[in-house]
Amino acid sequence: MNASWLDEIRWNDDGLVPVIAQSAKTGRVVMFAWMNREALELTAQHGYAVYWSRSRQRLWRKGEESGHRQKVLDIRIDCDKDVILLEIEQEGGIACHTGRESCFYHRLKQNRWEAVDPVLKDPGVIYQK
């Protein structure tokens, strides 16, 4: 695959680019993560989201433990070419490790963060090891 398109991305000093995953079905932002060059190339090649885990310092195939993979329908970049937007189909309807549809489930209400989305599946059941 000719990867010259990857050279157009404005990678940060760590060789990463921020990525927003948005549900194609609802338009809701379900996740924010990071990708390095290899993760983005693998995502484009295989059609499933691969991210860079900063905490584990390795590639992270979304759903590798939970089974909640993200099928990528479209890859876009912003005008500054420093943020990626993935339009995805979230397998199982759960993007967050807490068992929720979206990682953005807290809302600021009267100067306090309040969880407003339900847990769809117990994380203890999702991540049995």
Side-chain angles (χ1 to χ4, degrees), residues 7-18:
D7 296 332
E8 295 183 45
I9 295 170
R10 292 180 52 204
W11 305 96
N12 72 11
D13 291 341
D14 295 322
L16 302 174
V17 66

Side-chain angles (χ1 to χ4, degrees), residues 38-100:
E38 184 181 8
L40 183 53
E41 189 168 22
L42 287 169
T43 297
Q45 282 176 354
H46 300 289
Y48 284 89
V50 178
Y51 299 106
W52 177 257
S53 171
R54 294 180 304 159
S55 61
R56 293 176 263 185
Q57 289 293 296
R58 68 170 179 83
L59 291 176
W60 158 46
R61 286 165 172 75
K62 178 66 177 158
E64 66 189 20
E65 293 178 34
S66 66
H68 299 138
R69 299 187 316 161
Q70 291 175 339
K71 183 176 182 181
V72 177
L73 305 178
D74 198 13
I75 301 175
R76 295 180 181 236
I77 194 164
D78 75 326
C79 56
D80 294 324
K81 295 190 176 177
D82 62 358
V83 177
I84 301 293
L85 175 67
L86 300 181
E87 192 171 304
I88 57 108
E89 250 177 42
Q90 182 63 58
E91 293 182 359
I94 297 172
C96 186
H97 74 282
T98 65
R100 292 175 170 88

